[in-house]
Structures are given as structure tokens and as C-alpha cells.
């Protein structure tokens, strides 16, 4: 608080040193904006020209050009003078659009800068085509074409020219059709089907049929293995079937793969897909199949699941074997160091385990903390702030970009201020990013302070990384719900990094990232009026609803923090399916074998943050291991009849023995996640929540 007051008085001193100048410029700026909005462009330009030295003069210049008909001719001069500002990219886009409409292709090529924007790329390659540089144009068209996503309408003329040339073949349509179907982009896939020669459309229709009904991979009569394209279709069907019935898919794959021509890379991809599907859905066959993958096929994900499959069975020799199969960089990761120590300890090599635990106990993360607990070591936490001279903070604050930020703040335009701040951050050195983090902290921008600190690669300043904002409200909600304040702090830190206006791509809102539907449910349970989703942007409401929702999850899952935290992220129904089918499971093993990587990391992070906030708040609430209560079995799921998989293929020519209609393979009492999570009932924190810095 004292530091913020010192900064405020220093800033006010700078303002008061020239009170008339700044206030007068601010008034002229607002007058210019009003003139612009009322269509008096000439007046706005005169006022802009009178604001030399005012921090927002460049912003006003941008506003004069931004989507203003007739102003396009002024854009090149603006770009020449202010090409390093955040306003250059949108104006360059407008300039290129203007040149494309004029068909000024020479000028377009000169003005073009490399970009990932497909609309601009399509106009650029079309410009090359019109200028006689067909080979470059068609090479660019081919790169844009190879995508599962639809392309902007202005790409059509480029693609049409390319498709009329000898450089284009039906195989390129076939390849993109596969990309679209792999991503389930059906409208695009159907449009691509219509581009195929008439004689190829029946094959495409068969691919659509397999996409819709993957069990067709079992029926032999419909297949023509001699057709090389059908190998790709067969692999696609196995991929689709693995999502729901991995054991069935594995049986068909092993029986029939040799019938088709399937590229080695595609075979390896399907092998990995089946292995991960078996493992994440907790089939007992997963360990054997993962272990059978040749090293040339295995990747980091399958190597990790070899270990997790062994952990699920508490097969410590198998876990140690999987750990030995990691590459050097993987082996040095904290989580695998921890599991090596756990395996050594379980196998009776206490001395070797103790050595690993002690080394790992110096790390500030979940696995470092639980390792410290195994050897009763103190957590390596110090909240001494990194020293930064106030003169350095003032130096950065006096730069043009940060003067503009301060002026946006003075005009109560936090959105523009934060955009300017984030843009400025990218051009700073690591040391200046640390200084920017201190400045953001002084301004009360905790999320941006965390962002800047992460980009400075200085992870040691825990006072910056783990702020104590909203302390009174968090303490109040913790008392009301019988929760630790450190828990709520940990959730807020992970969900929004203390940004009360945070909004995820899925629509979760506020400090604790609550979905509107969940907010309505909680409001109803608390007998509170629900007006609109905007109330979730009010910090106190958001904290109250988030704390109440988490309390309900704790009650539902028997006060087991790992389960409640996972449910907050992935939904309680999924967590119910992830419970052990038989026998209790240590909580650290359960966390490590959560099928979704995002949820696995989320639970580890929140529990680690809770441990840090316990120390930050000066409490003595015990060790993190006290939160890791053993996970008890869930409800048993009735297994379906298994089906034979080691039989001859199509003995009667009609279909695979044990094919459709003979029942599904036996399933364990586990989850059935698809590759892309889509919560049935979206919780406050979810896989769509924005990622924030560590």
C-alpha cells in the first residue's frame, strides 16, 4: 500500500507540475473525439495536430483513419511514422483491403508483410498470380489449401486458378477431405466431395458412411482393400471407433490392418491413438499394448501413459520400467522424478528414494511439495519481493507507451490501457518486464503483473506471483462456507489470475470463472435473485457463488479436495466416472491418472497454490499431503458382454466374426472421454478457461 501511495504522489506531482498543459490537452482530445463521432473530420484533424506531445495523439490519429471512408490515402504516412505501435497492424490490414479492392496488385505486393491471416495471404498470392508469378502463387495456394478449416471467400478465385492448372490434382482434394473429416468439419467435407471427379465420389460417400458409423470397419463385403484410398478410410474408421470402443477398435485393427495399404506414419498414429484410448478409458489391456509399441512409434504421450497405466495397478516394477524408457529431458521433469522416488520407496529402496525426495523438495510445485512432505522438509517459500529501484519504475512509466497507458487510466478506459500495456510488454527486455510487473502491481493490475513476471522469467518473486487482492471478501466467503481462505485464493489464482472481468472462450466469467448456468443454479440454491450473467463480473457475487459451488462439490465427494477440485474444472459427472472401480487408490496416483491433461494439471496447480497461500497468509494449516485423502471406489458400472477378437477375418465373406449386433466389449468402471472434452454440465472452471501464466 505504501509503495502505491508513493507512486501515486509522484505521478500527481508530475501532473501538477504542468496542470494547465495536460488538462488542456485532455480537453482538446475529448473535443476531437466528439468532433470525429459527429462527422466533423476536418475539425478533429486540426485538434489532433495541436496535440503534439500528448500521450494519446497517436491513438487519435488511428481513430481518424480506422474504417473511415476516404481516409485510406493517409494510412501509408501513418504506417511510416508509427509502424511500431499497436495501431499499425489493423491499419495495414485496411490498407491492403483497399489495395485489393482497387486491384492495385503491384502496390499490394510491396505493402504486404508476412502474416498468418489467410484472407490477407489469399489476396497476396492472387496478386502474385495477376503479376505473372504463377509458380509462387500456386505454391501459396497449396499451403493454404491443406487445412481442415474453411477459407475466406476471397480465396475462391486463387483456388479456382490453381485448380485449373496442371499443378492441381484430385489427390489434393482427397487429402483435404481427410483433414476435414478428422476434425469433423462436415460442411467443408461435403463441399470438397463435390470437387472430386464423378468416378471418385462413390469412394468419398463411403468415407462419409464410415465416419458416421465406424463399425463398418468390421464388415468386409463393403471394402476394396486393393484401392489404396481405402487404407486411409479404414484408419479413419478405427480412429473414430477408438473414441467409444477402443477394445473393439483394437481387435479389428490387429485383424485387418495388413489387408490395406496404410502409410507407416498413419499406422503409427493409429497405434498411438488406440494405446491412449485404452489407457485413458482404463482398460486392463492398456499396459500390455502401451508396452508393445516400438520406440519408433512411441512418443512423449504414450511413454507417460505407460507409467500411468502401471500406477493405476500400483505395479511399481512396471512404473519403474516405464520411467526408464523416458528420454533424458522427460526424465528430469519434476513429476517423473517424484514417481521414480515413489516407485523406489514402494520397492524397498528407501535410501535411493530419500535422495530423490530431498533433491525434489527444493522445487516450488505440487510434486516438490509432496516430496517435501515425504521427508518432512520445509517448503522453499519466501515472499521477499525482488528489489527494483523506484527510479527504474519511474523511468519505465515515463516512456511514451506507458505515458499513454497512464492517460487511458486517467480517462477511465481500462480496456485500452490494458491493450497498450500488453503490446508494450512484448518489446521490453526481461529486466524491464520485471519492472513492468512492479508497475502493474502498483496500479492494482494483478493479472498483468503475473503476466509480466512470467515473461521476465523471474519466478522467484512470490509476492508478485501470488497477490492477496480481495482479502476481506475471500475471508468472509471462506468463513461462510467453512473453507480455507487459501483454497479460494488458489482457485482464483488459477482461474482468472485475479482479473474480475475475465471471460473464457466457453463463456465462464469473473474471478472464479463461473458459467452463467452454474451461476443461476447457485443463485437459486442461495435464494438470491438472478438478473443477468453480468452479476458474475461483480467480485463479491462471483466469490460467493464460486465458494458455494465448491462447498457443494466437497460435500458431494466426501470432503476429498482432489475430487472436488477436479470436478470444479471438468464437471462432477466426469469425476464420478473417474473413481476407482475397485479398491481405494492413493490420491496422488488418482491425480496423475486423470484422463484429461488440462484437469490433471489444474488439480496439481490449485493444490500447490493452496499450499503457497497458506504460507502467504501466515497460517499453520498443515501440509499439502493432508489434502490428499485416499480415493474410494465409485459405483460399479455393469460390464457388457465381451466379444472375441482373436478370430479369423470374414470367414464367410459377409463380415467380421463377432461384428455388429454381438455386443460391446467389456468395459471397466471408468470414463469414456472423447479426444476433445465437452462438459455435459459445464462447471465454473473448464477446459475452455483462458490459460494464465504459472
Amino acid at each position: 500500500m505504501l509503495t502505491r501511495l508513493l507512486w501515486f504522489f509522484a505521478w500527481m506531482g508530475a501532473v501538477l507540475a504542468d496542470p494547465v498543459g495536460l488538462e488542456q490537452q485532455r480537453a482538446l482530445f475529448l473535443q476531437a473525439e466528439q468532433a470525429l463521432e459527429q462527422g466533423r473530420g476536418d475539425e478533429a484533424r486540426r485538434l489532433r495536430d495541436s496535440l503534439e506531445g500528448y500521450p494519446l495523439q497517436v491513438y487519435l490519429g488511428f481513430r481518424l483513419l480506422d474504417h473511415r471512408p476516404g481516409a485510406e490515402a493517409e494510412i501509408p504516412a501513418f504506417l511510416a511514422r508509427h509502424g511500431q505501435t499497436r495501431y499499425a497492424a489493423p491499419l495495414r490490414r485496411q490498407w491492403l483491403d483497399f489495395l485489393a479492392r482497387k486491384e492495385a496488385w503491384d502496390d499490394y505486393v510491396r505493402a504486404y508483410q508476412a502474416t498468418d491471416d489467410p484472407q490477407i495471404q489469399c489476396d497476396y498470392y492472387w496478386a502474385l498470380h495477376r503479376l505473372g508469378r504463377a509458380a509462387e502463387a500456386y505454391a501459396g495456394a497449396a499451403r493454404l489449401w491443406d487445412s481442415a478449416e474453411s477459407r475466406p471467400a476471397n480465396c475462391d478465385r486463387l483456388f479456382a486458378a490453381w485448380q485449373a492448372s496442371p499443378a492441381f490434382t484430385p489427390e489434393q482434394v482427397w487429402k483435404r477431405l481427410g483433414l476435414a473429416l478428422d476434425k469433423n468439419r462436415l460442411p467443408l467435407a461435403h463441399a470438397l466431395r463435390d470437387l472430386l471427379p464423378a468416378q471418385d465420389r462413390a469412394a468419398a460417400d463411403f468415407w462419409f458412411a464410415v465416419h458416421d458409423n465406424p463399425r463398418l470397419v468390421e464388415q468386409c463385403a463393403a471394402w476394396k482393400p486393393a484401392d489404396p484410398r481405402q487404407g486411409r478410410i479404414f484408419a479413419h474408421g478405427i480412429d473414430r471407433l477408438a473414441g467409444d470402443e477402443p477394445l473393439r477398435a483394437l481387435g479389428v485393427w490387429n485383424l485387418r490392418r495388413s489387408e490395406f495399404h496404410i502409410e507407416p506414419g498413419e499406422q503409427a498414429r493409429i497405434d498411438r491413438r488406440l494405446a491412449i484410448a485404452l489407457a485413458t478409458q482404463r482398460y486392463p489391456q492398456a499396459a500390455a499394448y502401451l508396452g508393445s509399441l516400438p520406440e519408433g512409434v512411441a512418443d512423449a504421450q504414450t511413454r507417460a501413459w505407460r507409467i500411468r497405466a502401471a500406477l493405476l495397478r500400483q505395479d511399481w516394477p512396471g512404473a519403474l520400467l516405464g520411467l526408464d524408457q523416458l528420454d533424458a529431458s522427460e526424465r528430469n521433469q519434476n513429476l517423473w522424478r517424484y514417481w521414480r522416488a515413489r516407485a523406489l520407496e514402494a520397492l524397498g529402496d528407501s535410501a535411493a528414494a530419500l535422495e530423490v525426495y530431498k533433491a525434489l523438495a527444493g522445487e516450488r510445485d505440487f510434486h516438490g511439495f509432496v516430496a517435501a512432505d515425504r521427508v518432512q522438509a520445509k517448503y522453499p517459500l519466501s515472499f521477499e519481493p525482488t528489489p527494483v529501484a523506484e527510479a527504474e519504475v519511474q523511468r519505465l512509466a515515463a516512456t511514451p507507451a506507458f505515458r499513454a497507458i497512464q492517460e487511458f487510466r486517467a480517462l477511465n478506459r481500462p480496456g485500452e490501457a490494458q491493450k497498450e500495456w500488453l503490446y508494450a510488454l512484448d518489446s521490453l527486455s526481461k529486466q524491464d518486464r520485471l519492472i513492468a510487473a512492479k508497475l502493474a502491481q502498483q496500479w492494482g493490475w494483478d493479472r498483468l503483473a503475473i503476466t509480466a513476471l512470467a515473461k521476465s522469467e523471474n519466478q522467484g518473486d512470490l509476492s508478485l506471483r501470488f497477490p492477496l487482492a480481495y482479502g476481506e471478501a475471500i475471508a468472509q466467503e471462506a468463513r461462510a462456507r467453512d473453507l480455507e481462505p487459501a483454497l479460494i485464493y488458489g482457485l482464483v489464482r488459477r482461474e482468472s489470475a485475479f482479473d474480475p472481468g475475465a471471460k473464457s472462450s466457453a463463456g465462464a466469467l469473473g474471478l472464479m470463472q463461473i458459467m452463467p448456468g452454474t451461476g443461476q443454479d447457485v443463485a437459486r440454491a442461495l435464494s438470491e435473485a438472478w438478473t443477468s450473467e453480468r452479476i458474475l463480473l461483480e467480485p463479491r457475487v462471483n466469490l460467493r457463488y464460486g465458494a458455494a459451488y465448491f462447498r457443494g462439490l466437497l460435500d458431494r465427494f466426501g470432503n476429498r479436495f482432489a475430487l472436488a477440485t477436479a470436478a470444479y474444472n471438468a464437471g462432477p459427472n466426469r469425476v464420478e466416472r473417474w473413481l476407482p472401480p475397485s479398491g481405494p487408490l492413493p490420491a496422488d496416483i488418482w491425480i496423475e491418472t486423470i484422463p484429461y491433461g488440462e484437469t490433471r494439471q489444474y488439480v496439481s496447480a490449485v493444490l500447490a497454490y493452496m499450499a503457497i497461500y497458506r504460507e502467504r497468509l501466515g497460517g499453520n494449516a498443515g501440509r499439502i499431503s493432508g489434502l490428499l485423502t485416499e480415493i474410494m471406489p465409485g459405483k460399479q458400472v455393469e460390464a457388457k458382454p465381451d466379444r472375441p477378437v482373436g478370430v479369423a477375418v470374414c470367414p464367410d465373406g459377409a463380415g467380421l466374426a463377432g461384428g455388429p449386433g454381438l455386443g460391446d466389449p467389456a468395459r471397466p468402471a471408468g470414463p469414456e472421454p472423447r479426444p476433445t472434452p465437452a462438459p455435459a454440465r459445464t462447471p465454473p472452471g473448464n477446459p475452455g478457461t483462458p490459460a494464465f501464466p504459472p
Side-chain angles (χ1 to χ4, degrees), residues 30-40 44 63 68 413:
L30 294 172
Q31 185 180 337
E33 281 196 320
Q34 184 179 39
L36 188 60
E37 290 166 5
Q38 294 175 355
R40 303 194 308 275
R63 290 283 311 278
R68 303 285 175 180
R413 300 185 186 183

Side-chain angles (χ1 to χ4, degrees), residues 145-390:
W145 177 264
D146 284 343
S147 171
E149 305 303 325
S150 295
R151 293 308 193 184
N154 69 312
C155 297
D156 292 348
R157 58 188 177 184
L158 172 68
F159 289 153
W162 174 49
Q163 290 162 9
S165 75
F168 183 81
T169 66
E171 182 57 34
Q172 285 158 315
V173 180
W174 193 257
K175 178 182 177 183
R176 193 178 182 197
L177 176 63
L179 295 174
L181 285 174
D182 287 343
K183 294 292 185 180
N184 205 30
R185 304 292 192 265
L186 294 181
L188 174 61
H190 283 288
L192 289 165
R193 178 262 187 204
D194 293 340
L195 293 178
L196 288 168
Q199 65 270 22
D200 291 340
R201 291 177 188 171
D205 291 339
F206 180 61
W207 199 342
F208 283 114
V210 172
H211 181 86
D212 291 337
N213 179 18
R215 282 195 179 188
L216 287 175
V217 295
E218 297 178 314
Q219 297 182 5
C220 292
W223 292 86
K224 300 175 182 177
D227 183 345
R229 294 171 301 184
Q230 291 218 347
R232 178 73 171 87
I233 300 174
F234 179 74
H236 179 83
I238 294 294
D239 192 331
R240 296 276 292 174
L241 189 61
D244 287 325
E245 303 179 276
L247 193 60
R248 191 182 201 106
L250 174 62
V252 181
W253 178 244
N254 286 337
L255 288 167
R256 301 202 63 191
R257 65 194 295 177
S258 61
E259 297 177 33
F260 298 91
H261 173 74
I262 304 173
E263 294 294 331
E266 181 72 353
Q267 291 198 42
R269 185 183 74 83
I270 297 299
D271 280 331
R272 290 191 294 268
R273 168 77 170 108
L274 288 165
I276 297 302
L278 290 167
T280 56
Q281 298 184 41
R282 305 190 181 191
Y283 280 86
Q285 294 88 343
Y289 194 63
L290 284 159
S292 72
L293 293 179
E295 286 308 303
V297 171
D299 60 4
Q301 189 181 27
T302 53
R303 286 191 290 270
W305 275 104
R306 282 175 181 167
I307 301 165
R308 294 187 184 113
L311 291 176
L312 268 175
R313 304 191 317 278
Q314 299 187 64
D315 169 14
W316 297 109
L320 205 55
L321 176 62
L323 288 160
D324 289 338
Q325 292 172 333
L326 297 173
D327 66 29
S329 62
E330 294 163 353
R331 205 173 296 133
N332 288 328
Q333 294 174 16
N334 288 351
L335 82 159
W336 301 130
R337 292 168 64 196
Y338 172 77
W339 287 112
R340 179 173 293 279
R342 284 276 273 126
L344 291 169
E345 182 183 18
L347 293 171
D349 194 345
S350 300
L354 184 64
E355 183 180 351
V356 179
Y357 283 140
K358 285 183 175 179
L360 187 56
E363 301 292 340
R364 285 194 304 265
D365 64 9
F366 173 77
H367 294 96
F369 294 156
V370 289
D373 288 354
R374 307 293 286 198
V375 295
Q376 295 299 301
K378 184 176 175 59
Y379 296 161
L381 300 176
S382 171
F383 297 97
E384 290 297 320
T386 303
V388 172
E390 186 61 24

Side-chain angles (χ1 to χ4, degrees), residues 370-521:
V370 289
D373 288 354
R374 307 293 286 198
V375 295
Q376 295 299 301
K378 184 176 175 59
Y379 296 161
L381 300 176
S382 171
F383 297 97
E384 290 297 320
T386 303
V388 172
E390 186 61 24
E392 285 294 283
V393 176
Q394 293 305 317
R395 173 190 61 78
L396 187 66
T399 59
F402 282 84
R403 287 183 62 224
I405 294 166
Q406 293 172 74
E407 190 61 15
F408 279 128
R409 284 168 55 83
L411 291 168
N412 194 28
R413 300 185 186 183
E416 292 294 341
Q418 292 189 26
K419 289 177 186 176
E420 191 76 31
W421 194 90
L422 289 168
Y423 187 86
L425 189 66
D426 286 340
S427 63
L428 299 181
S429 66
K430 290 180 182 178
Q431 179 61 22
D432 276 353
R433 287 173 179 173
L434 174 60
I435 296 168
K438 295 288 186 179
L439 188 55
Q441 183 186 47
Q442 291 175 4
W443 289 345
W445 285 355
D446 290 316
R447 180 178 69 86
L448 298 185
I450 293 166
T451 300
L453 191 69
K455 290 192 173 186
S456 75
E457 299 182 10
N458 181 335
Q459 298 297 298
D461 194 333
L462 298 184
S463 64
L464 265 174
R465 287 183 63 197
F466 297 95
L468 293 174
Y470 307 103
E472 180 185 346
I474 287 175
Q476 179 179 332
E477 296 307 326
R479 286 192 300 270
R481 305 297 165 197
D482 192 22
L483 300 171
E484 285 189 52
L487 168 66
I488 300 178
Y489 269 116
L491 289 166
V492 171
R493 174 61 175 79
R494 178 65 182 189
E495 288 289 350
S496 68
F498 295 88
D499 180 2
K503 183 174 182 178
S504 78
S505 58
L509 298 170
L511 290 171
M512 298 187 75
Q513 288 291 276
I514 301 175
M515 291 295 293
T518 302
Q520 284 183 286
D521 291 343

Side-chain angles (χ1 to χ4, degrees), residues 478 480-484 487 525-526 546-568 572 575-576 579:
R481 305 297 165 197
D482 192 22
L483 300 171
E484 285 189 52
L487 168 66
L526 297 178
Y549 182 66
F550 194 89
R551 177 72 260 172
L553 293 172
L554 271 177
D555 293 341
R556 176 170 175 171
F557 290 106
N559 228 36
R560 285 169 169 77
F561 282 86
L563 299 181
T565 306
Y568 196 93
V575 172
E576 293 279 7
L579 294 174

